[in-house]
PDB file of all heavy atoms in Angstrom:
ATOM      1  N   TRP B 203      27.703 -19.054  14.103  1.00  0.00           N
ATOM      2  CA  TRP B 203      26.565 -18.291  14.605  1.00  0.00           C
ATOM      3  C   TRP B 203      26.850 -17.789  16.004  1.00  0.00           C
ATOM      4  O   TRP B 203      27.554 -18.437  16.780  1.00  0.00           O
ATOM      5  CB  TRP B 203      25.306 -19.156  14.623  1.00  0.00           C
ATOM      6  CG  TRP B 203      24.054 -18.387  14.865  1.00  0.00           C
ATOM      7  CD1 TRP B 203      23.271 -18.432  15.980  1.00  0.00           C
ATOM      8  CD2 TRP B 203      23.425 -17.454  13.996  1.00  0.00           C
ATOM      9  NE1 TRP B 203      22.194 -17.601  15.850  1.00  0.00           N
ATOM     10  CE2 TRP B 203      22.265 -16.971  14.633  1.00  0.00           C
ATOM     11  CE3 TRP B 203      23.737 -16.968  12.723  1.00  0.00           C
ATOM     12  CZ2 TRP B 203      21.412 -16.036  14.055  1.00  0.00           C
ATOM     13  CZ3 TRP B 203      22.897 -16.038  12.149  1.00  0.00           C
ATOM     14  CH2 TRP B 203      21.743 -15.584  12.806  1.00  0.00           C
ATOM     15  N   LEU B 204      26.281 -16.661  16.332  1.00  0.00           N
ATOM     16  CA  LEU B 204      26.354 -16.112  17.680  1.00  0.00           C
ATOM     17  C   LEU B 204      24.930 -15.786  18.100  1.00  0.00           C
ATOM     18  O   LEU B 204      24.263 -14.950  17.475  1.00  0.00           O
ATOM     19  CB  LEU B 204      27.223 -14.848  17.705  1.00  0.00           C
ATOM     20  CG  LEU B 204      27.474 -14.232  19.065  1.00  0.00           C
ATOM     21  CD1 LEU B 204      28.279 -15.171  19.955  1.00  0.00           C
ATOM     22  CD2 LEU B 204      28.224 -12.914  18.909  1.00  0.00           C
ATOM     23  N   ASP B 205      24.453 -16.465  19.120  1.00  0.00           N
ATOM     24  CA  ASP B 205      23.088 -16.313  19.593  1.00  0.00           C
ATOM     25  C   ASP B 205      22.744 -14.851  19.839  1.00  0.00           C
ATOM     26  O   ASP B 205      23.566 -14.074  20.324  1.00  0.00           O
ATOM     27  CB  ASP B 205      22.914 -17.126  20.882  1.00  0.00           C
ATOM     28  CG  ASP B 205      21.470 -17.238  21.283  1.00  0.00           C
ATOM     29  OD1 ASP B 205      20.790 -18.148  20.770  1.00  0.00           O
ATOM     30  OD2 ASP B 205      21.021 -16.411  22.092  1.00  0.00           O
ATOM     31  N   GLU B 206      21.517 -14.493  19.497  1.00  0.00           N
ATOM     32  CA  GLU B 206      21.071 -13.102  19.649  1.00  0.00           C
ATOM     33  C   GLU B 206      21.180 -12.587  21.068  1.00  0.00           C
ATOM     34  O   GLU B 206      21.411 -11.400  21.291  1.00  0.00           O
ATOM     35  CB  GLU B 206      19.631 -12.957  19.142  1.00  0.00           C
ATOM     36  CG  GLU B 206      19.545 -12.997  17.636  1.00  0.00           C
ATOM     37  CD  GLU B 206      18.161 -12.664  17.129  1.00  0.00           C
ATOM     38  OE1 GLU B 206      17.581 -11.661  17.579  1.00  0.00           O
ATOM     39  OE2 GLU B 206      17.680 -13.424  16.270  1.00  0.00           O
ATOM     40  N   SER B 207      21.040 -13.458  22.048  1.00  0.00           N
ATOM     41  CA  SER B 207      21.118 -13.011  23.441  1.00  0.00           C
ATOM     42  C   SER B 207      22.478 -12.390  23.757  1.00  0.00           C
ATOM     43  O   SER B 207      22.573 -11.483  24.578  1.00  0.00           O
ATOM     44  CB  SER B 207      20.828 -14.168  24.395  1.00  0.00           C
ATOM     45  OG  SER B 207      21.816 -15.173  24.282  1.00  0.00           O
ATOM     46  N   TYR B 208      23.523 -12.860  23.113  1.00  0.00           N
ATOM     47  CA  TYR B 208      24.862 -12.314  23.356  1.00  0.00           C
ATOM     48  C   TYR B 208      25.087 -10.984  22.642  1.00  0.00           C
ATOM     49  O   TYR B 208      26.050 -10.285  22.937  1.00  0.00           O
ATOM     50  CB  TYR B 208      25.935 -13.308  22.909  1.00  0.00           C
ATOM     51  CG  TYR B 208      25.936 -14.569  23.716  1.00  0.00           C
ATOM     52  CD1 TYR B 208      25.744 -15.808  23.103  1.00  0.00           C
ATOM     53  CD2 TYR B 208      26.119 -14.548  25.093  1.00  0.00           C
ATOM     54  CE1 TYR B 208      25.739 -16.975  23.837  1.00  0.00           C
ATOM     55  CE2 TYR B 208      26.114 -15.710  25.842  1.00  0.00           C
ATOM     56  CZ  TYR B 208      25.921 -16.913  25.206  1.00  0.00           C
ATOM     57  OH  TYR B 208      25.913 -18.064  25.937  1.00  0.00           O
ATOM     58  N   ARG B 209      24.223 -10.652  21.711  1.00  0.00           N
ATOM     59  CA  ARG B 209      24.390  -9.427  20.929  1.00  0.00           C
ATOM     60  C   ARG B 209      23.826  -8.195  21.637  1.00  0.00           C
ATOM     61  O   ARG B 209      23.861  -7.102  21.092  1.00  0.00           O
ATOM     62  CB  ARG B 209      23.701  -9.575  19.579  1.00  0.00           C
ATOM     63  CG  ARG B 209      24.217 -10.734  18.776  1.00  0.00           C
ATOM     64  CD  ARG B 209      23.517 -10.783  17.451  1.00  0.00           C
ATOM     65  NE  ARG B 209      23.335 -12.159  17.015  1.00  0.00           N
ATOM     66  CZ  ARG B 209      22.578 -12.504  16.001  1.00  0.00           C
ATOM     67  NH1 ARG B 209      21.924 -11.591  15.319  1.00  0.00           N
ATOM     68  NH2 ARG B 209      22.471 -13.762  15.665  1.00  0.00           N
ATOM     69  N   LYS B 210      23.302  -8.380  22.839  1.00  0.00           N
ATOM     70  CA  LYS B 210      22.648  -7.276  23.551  1.00  0.00           C
ATOM     71  C   LYS B 210      23.315  -6.927  24.867  1.00  0.00           C
ATOM     72  O   LYS B 210      23.104  -5.860  25.411  1.00  0.00           O
ATOM     73  CB  LYS B 210      21.187  -7.646  23.807  1.00  0.00           C
ATOM     74  CG  LYS B 210      20.413  -7.861  22.536  1.00  0.00           C
ATOM     75  CD  LYS B 210      19.018  -8.385  22.809  1.00  0.00           C
ATOM     76  CE  LYS B 210      18.329  -8.608  21.479  1.00  0.00           C
ATOM     77  NZ  LYS B 210      17.392  -9.649  21.450  1.00  0.00           N
ATOM     78  N   ASP B 211      24.112  -7.849  25.399  1.00  0.00           N
ATOM     79  CA  ASP B 211      24.673  -7.696  26.744  1.00  0.00           C
ATOM     80  C   ASP B 211      26.190  -7.824  26.677  1.00  0.00           C
ATOM     81  O   ASP B 211      26.712  -8.911  26.437  1.00  0.00           O
ATOM     82  CB  ASP B 211      24.067  -8.772  27.651  1.00  0.00           C
ATOM     83  CG  ASP B 211      24.766  -8.869  28.993  1.00  0.00           C
ATOM     84  OD1 ASP B 211      25.159  -7.834  29.551  1.00  0.00           O
ATOM     85  OD2 ASP B 211      24.925 -10.013  29.481  1.00  0.00           O
ATOM     86  N   ILE B 212      26.905  -6.730  26.879  1.00  0.00           N
ATOM     87  CA  ILE B 212      28.359  -6.719  26.734  1.00  0.00           C
ATOM     88  C   ILE B 212      29.037  -7.690  27.699  1.00  0.00           C
ATOM     89  O   ILE B 212      29.972  -8.395  27.312  1.00  0.00           O
ATOM     90  CB  ILE B 212      28.940  -5.291  26.863  1.00  0.00           C
ATOM     91  CG1 ILE B 212      30.433  -5.268  26.482  1.00  0.00           C
ATOM     92  CG2 ILE B 212      28.740  -4.734  28.261  1.00  0.00           C
ATOM     93  CD1 ILE B 212      30.714  -5.472  25.051  1.00  0.00           C
ATOM     94  N   GLU B 213      28.584  -7.761  28.926  1.00  0.00           N
ATOM     95  CA  GLU B 213      29.227  -8.658  29.894  1.00  0.00           C
ATOM     96  C   GLU B 213      29.002 -10.122  29.527  1.00  0.00           C
ATOM     97  O   GLU B 213      29.920 -10.943  29.598  1.00  0.00           O
ATOM     98  CB  GLU B 213      28.758  -8.357  31.318  1.00  0.00           C
ATOM     99  CG  GLU B 213      29.241  -7.014  31.846  1.00  0.00           C
ATOM    100  CD  GLU B 213      30.742  -6.781  31.681  1.00  0.00           C
ATOM    101  OE1 GLU B 213      31.538  -7.687  32.008  1.00  0.00           O
ATOM    102  OE2 GLU B 213      31.120  -5.689  31.206  1.00  0.00           O
ATOM    103  N   GLY B 214      27.775 -10.468  29.137  1.00  0.00           N
ATOM    104  CA  GLY B 214      27.485 -11.830  28.704  1.00  0.00           C
ATOM    105  C   GLY B 214      28.264 -12.183  27.445  1.00  0.00           C
ATOM    106  O   GLY B 214      28.771 -13.301  27.301  1.00  0.00           O
TER     107      GLY B 214
END
Side-chain angles (χ1 to χ4, degrees):
W203 191 249
L204 185 64
D205 191 85
E206 286 188 48
S207 64
Y208 295 121
R209 302 182 214 169
K210 298 173 182 149
D211 169 38
I212 189 70
E213 292 310 313

